[in-house]
Amino acid sequence: MVKVKRSIASIAIIIACAVALGVTAKAQDLASFEKRTTVKVLPNGLTLIICERPEAPVFSFYTLVDAGSADDPDGASGIAHMFEHMAFKGTTEIGTTDYAAEKIALAKVETTYAAYDAEYRKRVGQNPDKLAQLLKAFQDAQAEAQKYVIPNQFSQIAEENGAVGINANTTEDSTQYFWSMPSNRLELWAYLESQRIAHPVEREFYKERNVVQEERRTRVDSSPVGRMVEQFLSTAYVAHPYRRPGVGWESEISQVSATEATTFHEKYYVPANIVIAVVGDLKASETMPILERYFAPIPAAPRPEPMTTVEPPQVAEKSVTIREATQPFYIEGYHRPDYLDPDDSAYDAISDIFSNGRTARLYRSLVRDQSIAAEAQGFSGFPGDKYPGLFAVYAVPLPGHTPEEMRTSIHKELDRLKSEDVTDAELERFKTRARADLLRGLADNEGLAHQLAEYQTRFGDWRELFNQLHKIDAVNKADIRRVANKIFTDSNRTSARIEFVPPQRKAPQVQPTAGGAQ
């Protein structure tokens, strides 16, 4: 279930009404939002959402591009994440002292890199001297292009005009850009955002590629859990792109080019694949014409074709074991349908009952009662939910306990879900928390902008956000038991564990005697 946000001033009223009046309160709240929310699809296909909320003279925006790491081309994993980085490098008008000259210099960077890369990739007949010469030419071309760069000018302009929380994120399913700033800077924001959508420049690409490689080294290569999760997903999936790490494989990150990033942008950053939500002290009658002025000129292009790859059903249990001198860990996952499945809220119920707080089953069993785990959690929709994902469960053993103990205890709790109905109290706690979380999530402009864009993208109508209350209320005990029996099967399971092994000490080397080898 996607979390949502709204104003703190009205949250107490909304929660009280939702609990007391249920669907009636939901409808009243939806009606109030409908009065303040305007949606317009521009002729080029880009969707704009404006929500009026005059509590403070600020606004937040959320740009959602319906393309993430799952859309990375074969051989170029990590390119969606890489382009997210590049979106802050500026445009043809921002970040350069002379774009006409820089454009020529950047073209030379690509020409020299292509030549170097072609020689580097040769498996037979690679010429070391030629490779060194080509590398030198590439580095010289980079240095020449760097002369025209004004570093960080895009973010600097935004910050100098009051922007806070400047950030972006790439998930498997989408890429998002967001920040907040004073309402009187709306037009400046519209200029900045439309420019980086329509006219990004892949400057400092190879410098930033090094940054992304370091990200991978930190998050995956140097992290036992990171390496385990990477192996876990690549084992759980055999066909679908969810099998690949979002940051990319090292061999592909190290060779991806600015030309490939441009191709990705041209395919996925088209208006018909983008939703932008703006929330704050704005009037739609005044704001929409400004947004149209900046975003409507972006050239239209066909929306990317839907993904055709479907993960085949898993027919046998799979497992991964990593043995090294580090903290033991256990995780297992079960394939589940995507977010459009009618049982989506039932998966949320299982996740909540399993692991939401100290009253949850996993915490009570593994952490409190047995004292065998430091932490135990279950969560749904991993690594994404746009396509069929995993319901995953993990536990971190306390000293003296093993991953196998975690597995046994987790399976005991899963079997309970399959053989016994949850209690009335557990089901009611889930519904109360879910309703409160859903409505409390509307607490600030940025969060609301996020959810408006998310629901508009995923369901084609932001109003579906409020229909979640009905779906939550409709979940019953039989749904939970039925879904548990459907997915928590041995043949649908993939597990991974880290088992502690003592570090290996190297044997001391025997020094030869003065007389030589014996």
Side-chain angles (χ1 to χ4, degrees):
M1 181 179 63
V2 183
K3 306 269 186 198
V4 288
K5 300 190 176 180
R6 195 177 192 261
S7 82
I8 295 174
S10 59
I11 188 62
I13 297 174
I14 294 175
I15 293 176
C17 289
V19 173
L21 301 176
V23 177
T24 303
K26 178 199 72 172
Q28 290 175 344
D29 191 64
L30 174 58
S32 72
F33 267 86
E34 287 180 322
K35 292 177 181 177
R36 298 183 285 116
T37 303
T38 303
V39 178
K40 185 165 187 177
V41 180
L42 301 180
N44 61 10
L46 191 145
T47 300
L48 297 171
I49 306 174
I50 298 172
C51 184
E52 301 176 12
R53 201 155 163 203
E55 284 92 342
V58 295
F59 77 93
S60 299
F61 83 93
Y62 201 89
T63 296
L64 192 151
V65 182
D66 193 16
S69 300
D71 300 292
D72 289 343
D74 287 339
S77 61
I79 195 69
H81 175 232
M82 186 69 202
F83 189 83
E84 173 223 310
H85 280 239
M86 298 309 298
F88 292 90
K89 291 296 184 179
T91 70
T92 55
E93 299 178 358
I94 302 169
T96 183
T97 58
D98 182 352
Y99 180 65
E102 184 187 26
K103 183 178 180 180
I104 296 172
L106 287 173
K108 187 174 182 180
V109 169
E110 287 307 282
T111 300
T112 54
Y113 178 74
Y116 164 76
D117 191 51
E119 185 68 22
Y120 178 83
R121 289 175 186 254
K122 286 183 179 179
R123 299 182 65 188
V124 177
Q126 185 187 90
N127 184 321
D129 292 336
K130 181 179 180 181
L131 187 66
Q133 293 171 0
L134 292 171
L135 177 60
K136 177 65 164 56
F138 167 55
Q139 292 171 336
D140 290 345
Q142 283 183 283
E144 181 63 26
Q146 189 67 31
K147 294 178 182 179
Y148 303 101
V149 176
I150 304 176
N152 306 314
Q153 188 179 39
F154 184 90
S155 296
Q156 184 179 349
I157 292 173
E159 289 173 345
E160 288 174 348
N161 284 273
V164 294
I166 300 176
N167 213 333
N169 184 44
T170 304
T171 68
E172 276 70 16
D173 297 338
S174 63
T175 308
Q176 311 97 37
Y177 303 89
F178 45 91
W179 74 62
S180 302
M181 68 193 312
S183 298
N184 61 4
R185 293 295 185 267
L186 174 78
E187 186 163 2
L188 172 66
W189 161 76
Y191 164 72
L192 292 172
E193 193 68 0
S194 61
Q195 280 286 303
R196 72 168 166 182
I197 291 173
H199 306 293
V201 175
E202 309 297 332
R203 58 174 60 94
E204 297 185 307
F205 180 88
Y206 300 95
K207 178 180 178 182
E208 198 66 25
R209 191 176 72 176
N210 294 335
V211 173
V212 173
Q213 286 181 273
E214 183 57 33
E215 271 191 55
R216 182 189 159 82
R217 285 189 283 269
T218 301
R219 290 161 47 184
V220 180
D221 300 335
S222 300
S223 167
V225 173
R227 296 197 302 274
M228 182 200 68
V229 170
E230 184 173 87
Q231 291 296 313
F232 169 65
L233 289 174
S234 64
T235 302
Y237 287 93
V238 298
H240 196 272
Y242 279 170
R243 72 186 186 278
R244 302 181 308 213
V247 72
W249 300 112
E250 167 59 27
S251 62
E252 295 180 354
I253 302 171
S254 64
Q255 291 182 265
V256 71
S257 70
T259 299
E260 289 174 293
T262 298
T263 300
F264 184 87
H265 170 267
E266 291 173 347
K267 179 176 181 179
Y268 291 104
Y269 279 66
V270 297
N273 209 37
I274 297 173
V275 173
I276 301 176
V278 185
V279 178
D281 188 18
L282 311 163
K283 290 184 178 179
S285 60
E286 300 172 359
T287 301
M288 190 62 79
I290 295 174
L291 302 190
E292 288 185 75
R293 186 185 318 149
Y294 287 95
F295 291 100
I298 300 174
R303 184 165 186 169
E305 64 279 2
M307 185 177 295
T308 57
T309 302
V310 176
E311 181 68 17
Q314 184 169 321
V315 297
E317 182 172 359
K318 297 183 282 187
S319 65
V320 172
T321 301
I322 295 175
R323 297 179 177 89
E324 58 181 272
T326 189
Q327 167 66 49
F329 197 100
Y330 180 79
I331 187 171
E332 64 182 33
Y334 299 83
H335 292 277
R336 55 145 294 179
D338 63 30
Y339 73 102
L340 292 172
D341 188 76
D343 286 320
D344 192 50
S345 292
Y347 290 103
D348 292 330
I350 294 173
S351 180
D352 181 273
I353 293 167
F354 233 40
S355 60
N356 194 337
R358 292 174 178 265
T359 61
R361 290 187 175 189
L362 282 178
Y363 182 90
R364 290 203 315 264
S365 176
L366 279 72
V367 179
R368 187 193 69 183
D369 297 342
Q370 299 183 69
S371 299
I372 62 174
E375 185 178 357
Q377 292 268 345
F379 51 100
S380 190
F382 176 70
D385 62 7
K386 180 179 177 181
Y387 307 103
L390 300 175
F391 187 102
V393 188
Y394 75 89
V396 181
L398 284 171
H401 297 280
T402 66
E404 187 61 29
E405 290 179 83
M406 305 300 105
R407 175 185 172 94
T408 299
S409 295
I410 287 170
H411 290 180
K412 181 179 178 180
E413 294 303 323
L414 289 175
D415 288 340
R416 283 184 61 200
L417 282 175
K418 295 162 66 175
S419 60
E420 305 171 7
D421 284 339
V422 300
T423 66
D424 291 333
E426 286 176 317
L427 186 59
E428 188 53 39
R429 277 197 299 268
F430 155 66
K431 292 184 178 182
T432 300
R433 279 193 294 249
R435 286 193 296 261
D437 287 347
L438 188 72
L439 296 167
R440 190 182 300 115
L442 300 166
D444 57 58
N445 289 344
E446 182 185 304
L448 178 56
H450 173 187
Q451 300 312 321
L452 290 173
E454 186 82 35
Y455 277 87
Q456 185 71 32
T457 299
R458 294 288 165 251
F459 295 95
D461 187 350
W462 62 269
R463 294 170 184 81
E464 183 64 26
L465 181 150
F466 294 93
N467 289 336
Q468 297 302 309
L469 290 172
H470 173 71
K471 293 179 179 180
I472 290 166
D473 285 332
V475 176
N476 59 45
K477 297 179 184 180
D479 291 330
I480 294 173
R481 193 165 172 179
R482 173 177 51 78
V483 167
N485 277 280
K486 178 181 178 181
I487 73 158
F488 296 135
T489 63
D490 293 352
S491 62
N492 192 36
R493 179 193 302 132
T494 300
S495 65
R497 65 180 69 190
I498 299 175
E499 293 184 349
F500 176 83
V501 294
Q504 299 295 314
R505 293 186 177 181
K506 294 183 178 180
Q509 294 183 350
V510 178
Q511 297 296 323
T513 62
Q518 299 298 313

